Amino acid sequence: MLATGQPLRLGIKASDAPTWLKVDADLAGTSGADGIHSVLLVPLWARGKLLGLAQFCRRRTTDPFDDDDLLLAQEISSRAAVNIDNAHRYTHERATALTLQRSLLPQHAPGEPAVETASRYLPSGSRAGVGGDWYDVIPLSGARVALVVGDVVGRGLQASATMGRLRTVRTSADID
């Protein structure tokens, strides 16, 4: 089934139920696979990738799954697969943006005789995601220090990359 990527419709006799179906029935709190008589196995395809498999079981009605049921199961599985893939992509992009943002922030404040600094950065805990907030402590000549704080409008990888470009203010400050 997974090798071909095609959906599969099975009629099952209680005595011939496969082990995986018995285990699934036990986990679902049913009385074993003896009530399940029809199964649909539908691949979860998204953007040309096989993500997994959806399993639909019928046990209360006497009718086995038919072509209409298969079409509905394929539609449900198709939508679910796209949403699963979107969630995976969002999670990956957010982790990448967080890593980029943290790598661009100063690891520790420089020791300066003119000022004592301490910092702590906590990214947004909201559902909006990772933004482009940044800060820097830049030592200047003549016992001076520049404290710079900025916020890039937007969220995600783009905002973090823009934050990196804006932090080039340090270069300007280094040449005084």
Side-chain angles (χ1 to χ4, degrees):
M1 197 330 266
L2 282 175
T4 65
Q6 297 300 313
L8 184 62
R9 186 172 32 194
L10 301 172
I12 298 176
K13 295 178 188 171
S15 59
D16 297 334
T19 306
W20 58 266
L21 189 55
K22 290 176 184 173
V23 170
D24 285 354
D26 290 344
L27 291 175
T30 62
S31 60
D34 53 359
I36 296 173
H37 61 84
S38 185
V39 176
L40 287 177
L41 300 173
V42 183
L44 298 172
W45 286 99
R47 297 176 181 93
K49 287 188 336 189
L50 183 60
L51 303 178
L53 184 68
Q55 172 184 312
F56 300 86
C57 298
R58 183 167 276 173
R59 69 181 191 99
R60 292 209 172 133
T61 91
T62 57
D63 298 332
F65 286 117
D66 60 18
D67 289 341
D68 289 338
D69 295 324
L70 180 59
L71 284 173
L72 179 60
Q74 286 177 304
E75 181 65 26
I76 291 168
S77 297
S78 173
R79 291 175 188 236
V82 169
N83 286 308
I84 290 167
D85 191 53
N86 286 345
H88 180 264
R89 287 172 182 249
Y90 170 80
T91 301
H92 183 264
E93 182 177 320
R94 185 173 191 285
T96 302
L98 268 172
T99 301
L100 175 61
Q101 188 172 18
R102 288 190 188 279
S103 72
L104 292 171
L105 293 172
Q107 301 306 308
H108 45 70
E112 290 296 318
V115 65
E116 185 177 319
T117 60
S119 64
R120 180 176 181 203
Y121 177 75
L122 297 173
S124 169
S126 73
R127 291 183 164 183
V130 180
D133 306 325
W134 57 279
Y135 65 89
D136 211 342
V137 179
I138 305 168
L140 302 172
S141 62
R144 297 178 300 144
V145 175
L147 302 173
V148 185
V149 177
D151 184 15
V152 175
V153 176
R155 298 279 180 238
L157 200 50
Q158 188 69 28
S160 293
T162 301
M163 174 195 101
R165 290 192 296 274
L166 286 176
R167 281 205 60 231
T168 59
V169 71
R170 177 181 263 287
T171 305
S172 300
D174 285 345
I175 58 175
D176 215 10

